Amino acid sequence: MELPFAESYKIKMVENIRKSTREEREKWIAEAKYNLFALKSQYVYIDLLTDSGTGAMSDKQWAAIMEGDESYAGATSFYKLKDTIKDITGLDYVLPTHQGRAAENVLFSAIVKEGDILPGNSHFDTTKGHIEFRKAHAIDCTIDEASDTELEIPFKGNMDLKKLEDVLKANPKEKIPAIVLTITNNTAGGQPVSMENIKGVSALAKKYGVKLLIDSARFAENAYFIKTREAGYADKSIIDICREIYSHADYMTMSAKKDGIVNIGGFLGFKDEKDMQKCQMYSIMFEGYLTYGGMAGRDMNALAQGLRESMEFDYLETRIKQVAYLASKLDEYGVPYQRPAGGHAIFVDAKKILTNVPKEEFQAQTLAIELYLEAGIRGVEIGALLADRDPDTKENRYPRLELLRLAIPRRVYTNNHMDYIAAALKNVYDRRESITSGYRITKELPIMRHFTIELEKVKR
Ligand SMILES: Cc1ncc(COP(=O)(O)O)c(C=O)c1O
């Protein structure tokens, strides 16, 4: 008999989680003004809000924590981290930061000015926020296929090279501080970018004299997809694929809370020392001295070890197969999602499910609330709330996709939890016709409003 697939780790410590009643959840979500970010975590049974900083560290990472060097300057933990990053990416210069958006803040303070243009493949919301905060523009050049959730193509996160070249042609290079390539493409569904596409973007960057920034939160997962889906890479190791990816990068921003498998952390990587030097002042102002930048020595030690673990094929296979397992259950129940399954999450197609809820009442948010009410599962809206208002017209922006993201934390839940999630979604799906109204905004911030937004139920 062929042996079934099984996890590449065993469990050494557990954390208890608690179920609740529907009545309790109705009260809690109303108190949270229908914003799932405002829920206390103890009111959540399975937390799929994010895969960011929510993973389980390994025994080796906890051991590394004990050996952290907490020196203000020149800590051995910094050099361990720097050497690991150099080994994986080939980038020589590193500035640690406390998380990904802090890396964006430091880099964009140095390179982005009012009126600039940063083309990219679905900029992540904090990236877009940091660009628009500086009165610059994030131009989305993702391939059109990414918005057809039923289409199964291997690299749905790719940049459309024609769209990118049109932007590069139409603007002087002085106005384009960087092209932003996000791997994997979170907003489009955790979809990977192919090596061929990375090379194509890099060639255009060189042709037009523009720098390439790789937003790298899930770079190891992207490398796994290149190895398993792209011709010519099956025999290459994950680390070799990563080295090839970063041979094309001028800058990298990293939210280490994802593929660094740590609870907090981030960094900037640079090919050119001069680019790093431009950022040093902002790093010291916003994050801390150059050899700790917002992280404790123990955090940098755990991150160095986490990055090594994320290069292990067995770890990545366990992770990606768990997401695929959840997808296979949704296939069984007919629940539509962004196909094929992404690296870190399932993105449920709320527009296709809640056809009786008008888009002005936020379909994906409505679905997120229904799933919470059904089973205590917390997902997150990737739709009109996240898209913010147009900075010029102040009108709501309605993206082509209204998605409910169910992000799977690394090494945290079992496949029994996946079964529970799929069954809960099936129940919501089966009663979809009876859901006819959504929510309206009662309070919001001008940028990144989804974190703190307040809503009320629309009554018909
Ligand atoms: C692609 C991408 N870039 C940047 C960030 C921001 O990172 P952080 O949450 O660590 O600030 C995230 C976080 O989810 C992300 O997914």
Side-chain angles (χ1 to χ4, degrees):
M1 183 179 177
E2 197 183 331
L3 296 176
F5 184 77
E7 289 80 2
S8 64
Y9 50 81
K10 57 183 178 175
I11 297 166
K12 195 174 274 195
M13 187 189 282
V14 296
E15 177 183 343
N16 291 326
I17 48 177
R18 171 181 172 267
K19 284 190 183 164
S20 52
T21 63
R22 186 171 175 113
E23 289 67 40
E24 284 175 321
R25 294 193 290 275
E26 276 171 0
K27 177 172 164 285
W28 295 332
I29 192 73
E31 283 168 0
K33 305 279 194 310
Y34 299 99
N35 180 345
L36 290 118
F37 284 98
L39 281 176
K40 288 186 178 163
S41 64
Q42 76 224 43
Y43 298 160
V44 175
Y45 176 52
I46 298 181
D47 205 345
L48 309 181
L49 185 72
T50 177
D51 62 320
S52 180
T54 54
M57 290 208 294
S58 69
D59 50 355
K60 288 202 172 69
Q61 285 180 286
W62 282 110
I65 288 246
M66 297 307 293
E67 293 185 345
D69 176 355
E70 305 303 343
S71 304
Y72 188 97
T76 53
S77 300
F78 168 74
Y79 290 102
K80 190 186 266 182
L81 176 60
K82 184 177 182 294
D83 291 347
T84 306
I85 295 167
K86 162 83 183 163
D87 189 32
I88 293 173
T89 67
L91 298 175
D92 280 305
Y93 304 99
V94 171
L95 291 175
T97 62
H98 76 275
Q99 62 183 90
R101 71 200 67 185
E104 291 164 359
N105 189 29
V106 169
L107 178 65
F108 292 169
S109 293
I111 67 168
V112 176
K113 56 186 188 314
E114 187 171 339
D116 278 354
I117 286 164
L118 290 94
N121 58 334
S122 321
H123 309 69
F124 182 66
D125 57 338
T126 60
T127 320
K128 185 156 66 72
H130 272 296
I131 292 170
E132 292 181 349
F133 177 72
R134 291 172 171 82
K135 299 197 168 41
H137 305 278
I139 312 270
D140 186 13
C141 300
T142 310
I143 53 169
D144 289 338
E145 290 90 329
S147 48
D148 176 355
T149 56
E150 278 167 37
L151 185 72
E152 295 238 9
I153 54 170
F155 292 101
K156 230 176 173 177
N158 279 356
M159 185 95 77
D160 183 322
L161 298 180
K162 160 92 178 53
K163 286 188 202 169
L164 176 63
E165 184 153 22
D166 287 348
V167 176
L168 297 175
K169 251 190 218 155
N171 295 283
K173 66 177 185 189
E174 295 70 31
K175 280 191 82 170
I176 308 179
I179 299 168
V180 185
L181 186 66
T182 304
I183 60 171
T184 58
N185 184 331
N186 181 0
T187 313
Q191 297 292 326
V193 175
S194 67
M195 190 68 88
E196 191 190 355
N197 194 249
I198 295 170
K199 284 184 193 161
V201 172
S202 164
L204 284 176
K206 287 201 178 71
K207 181 172 167 190
Y208 289 90
V210 170
K211 302 241 177 186
L212 176 57
L213 159 63
I214 302 192
D215 178 352
S216 308
R218 301 175 183 86
F219 74 103
E221 291 172 7
N222 202 95
Y224 172 89
F225 285 118
I226 289 174
K227 182 175 168 71
T228 54
R229 291 184 184 173
E230 192 162 351
Y233 287 91
D235 296 332
K236 294 220 159 119
S237 65
I238 297 291
I239 197 166
D240 281 343
I241 294 171
C242 290
R243 287 171 184 154
E244 186 174 340
I245 292 174
Y246 288 98
S247 69
H248 298 286
D250 296 293
Y251 314 117
M252 91 183 263
T253 46
M254 178 70 186
S255 169
K257 301 167 74 176
K258 284 84 167 176
D259 278 355
I261 332 182
V262 287
N263 303 119
I264 194 73
F267 59 86
L268 276 160
F270 305 86
K271 186 169 276 170
D272 186 337
E273 189 176 12
K274 284 201 194 74
D275 285 334
M276 191 263 288
Q277 284 166 345
K278 272 193 231 162
C279 291
Q280 283 179 331
M281 177 179 82
Y282 299 103
S283 176
I284 292 173
M285 258 186 348
F286 299 141
E287 291 296 295
Y289 183 64
L290 305 173
T291 59
Y292 73 85
M295 275 194 281
R298 55 181 173 272
D299 294 336
M300 292 189 281
N301 261 14
L303 173 53
Q305 175 62 25
L307 287 169
R308 289 267 171 231
E309 290 176 20
S310 78
M311 294 296 100
E312 287 168 14
F313 181 80
D314 289 353
Y315 153 72
L316 286 167
E317 186 180 39
T318 300
R319 165 146 185 79
I320 306 287
K321 286 203 165 160
Q322 182 169 56
V323 178
Y325 175 75
L326 175 57
S328 72
K329 298 300 289 184
L330 298 187
D331 286 342
E332 207 177 307
Y333 302 145
V335 179
Y337 62 90
Q338 172 69 299
R339 310 176 72 87
H344 67 291
I346 292 292
F347 289 65
V348 183
D349 191 338
K351 217 180 226 175
K352 288 220 171 77
I353 298 176
L354 296 186
T355 50
N356 294 336
V357 175
K359 74 173 188 314
E360 293 76 12
E361 294 175 16
F362 308 111
Q363 292 150 308
Q365 180 69 10
T366 306
L367 188 62
I369 294 167
E370 287 298 329
L371 183 63
Y372 175 70
L373 290 172
E374 179 69 32
I377 298 164
R378 169 158 71 171
V380 72
E381 187 248 25
I382 305 276
L385 292 182
L386 180 81
D388 276 336
R389 289 178 191 270
D390 183 293
D392 300 323
T393 67
K394 308 286 179 243
E395 292 297 321
N396 275 319
R397 290 190 274 213
Y398 294 103
R400 277 184 285 184
L401 294 178
E402 275 288 318
L403 301 168
L404 163 61
R405 187 185 77 173
L406 304 175
I408 311 298
R410 292 165 182 75
R411 308 189 285 210
V412 170
Y413 293 113
T414 68
N415 281 4
N416 285 335
H417 293 113
M418 300 301 124
D419 288 339
Y420 180 94
I421 297 159
L425 255 175
K426 178 189 186 312
N427 290 347
V428 176
Y429 184 66
D430 288 349
R431 60 179 170 79
R432 64 193 180 281
E433 297 292 334
S434 67
I435 305 169
T436 55
S437 63
Y439 295 83
R440 78 167 68 84
I441 298 171
T442 55
K443 205 169 161 196
E444 66 186 297
L445 291 177
I447 287 184
M448 288 186 255
R449 63 180 180 180
H450 62 291
F451 287 121
T452 53
I453 205 155
E454 295 185 3
L455 302 163
E456 68 182 11
K457 205 164 169 40
V458 174
K459 293 204 177 81
R460 289 220 165 70

